[in-house]
Amino acid sequence: MKVYKFGGGVIQNSESIRKLAQLIQAEKPGSLVVVVSALGKTTQALEEILQCQVAGQPYAPQLQKLYEFHRHMIDQLLDGLREVAYQMLNAWQDTLLAVMRLPITDVSSDKTYSRIVAEGELLASRLIAYYLQEQQVACTWLDARDYVKTNWGFCHAQVDWATTQRLIQNDFLPLLGQKQVVLTQGFIGSNEKGETTTLGKEGSDFTGAILAAALGAESLTIWKDVPGVMNADPKLFEEATKFSELSYQAMEEMAFYGAKVVHPKTIQPLAAHHIPLYVRPFHDPHERGTVVMNGFAQVEHPIYVLQENQVLVQLSLDDLTFFSEACMQEVVHQLEQQDLRANLMEREAFKLTMCLNNDHYQTKGLAAALGQRFRINAQPQVNLLTVLHGDERLGQAWLAQKEVLLAHQRPDIYQAVFQPDAKA
Ligand code: ASP
Ligand code: MG
């Protein structure tokens, strides 16, 4: 059996859901587990709604827009099940409003975050399940929160592998045996208390890998709006080309440096179980895309990764005290606590400089913890360019017109932090 994952980047309108159904119907009954994330930009919209609520600002217009977007989808897709789907959508909105009415404090906002954003995945998957049912596809909808068991990290939970694997095997395998397509959500899970947790932004790829590993799938396919894994974003670099093949290691390295194509946690479980990953173009499903597995040779093109929305953080102590190993240990510990990774890190005598993803929920916690011990100087809204396996002149040429704040050259890796162009 195989696992297919469809993200919000490809399922944006009714046409794409029809296409998704065709891809599913082309497979043998009982041979497919399907993971979907929220439709289009739903997660982002839910995050904005939550931020309005925390800031005490009205969010009704945004919620209405989201409601209309999904209602329009129902109108376009469903026939016999349209009324049932409207009821489902109304109940969805009621649930969301009820969660939003709970008092949100700084401490509990992470928990509320998971509850609210998870609703995007739940709604999308229910809607798709109705459509598949109308298309006579034998399909069972499962709530991923009953299977992906995690710790208490609401925004970036860690998976309890043993329990998760057991639960998945118990329920998914018999359904596949009954020739069902099993449809579930990416990104979401639940903790011991049954409270909703999430696996980190763009975490649906990781769910695909969790399911593939637990079920011993023959492959995981991530359907994307790009031809496959590229060595650079074609919108930014003219000479961008697609890799037909990549090793797990090369893919993981790209993901580590921030290439958005696949979530960084996806590769490890696949590699551990020797499960190939296919990254394939949703809009051109006959194309092969990129296959990621063991045994491919060295990467033959330089790889450019641009990470936007970074924060450049400098930590120092109040007096002329060295930034010691003990200080480093404290920083690393706190990064780990927040499940944050430094995309670049440089220690000098009196300070530590690092570049991090500017994720509000995670950096907030980090600043609170480190602020007790260090002086923090943070420069938000910077970009980070990483060039792997290339000549540093390639990176420097691209950066020629930019204001570079920090640059690093090591064999095979060039990294530069720079100011984004001012918006016109
Ligand atoms: N919908 C979630 C997000 O946008 C998960 C995902 O897309 O993989 O972060
Ligand atoms: Mg998404």
Side-chain angles (χ1 to χ4, degrees), residues 398-413:
W398 191 81
L399 288 163
Q401 305 301 321
K402 319 262 185 225
E403 185 188 341
V404 175
L405 303 169
L406 182 80
H408 260 189
Q409 172 65 46
R410 278 154 287 160
D412 253 13
I413 302 179

Side-chain angles (χ1 to χ4, degrees), residues 5-9 36-44 121 187 201-204:
K5 182 260 167 174
F6 300 91
V36 296
S37 67
L39 304 182
K41 302 229 177 298
T42 301
T43 304
Q44 206 181 318
E121 269 58 23
F187 181 51
K201 289 287 299 161
E202 312 295 330
S204 298

Side-chain angles (χ1 to χ4, degrees), residues 192-242:
E192 261 179 340
K193 253 175 101 181
E195 293 167 322
T196 304
T197 57
T198 52
L199 304 177
K201 289 287 299 161
E202 312 295 330
S204 298
D205 294 345
F206 182 35
T207 307
I210 294 170
L211 287 162
L215 295 167
E218 76 182 58
S219 62
L220 166 65
T221 303
I222 298 182
W223 295 93
K224 298 287 293 185
D225 59 352
V226 287
V229 181
M230 313 279 290
N231 74 327
D233 180 344
K235 284 181 226 120
L236 297 168
F237 299 89
E238 279 167 18
E239 62 273 40
T241 56
K242 189 199 79 180

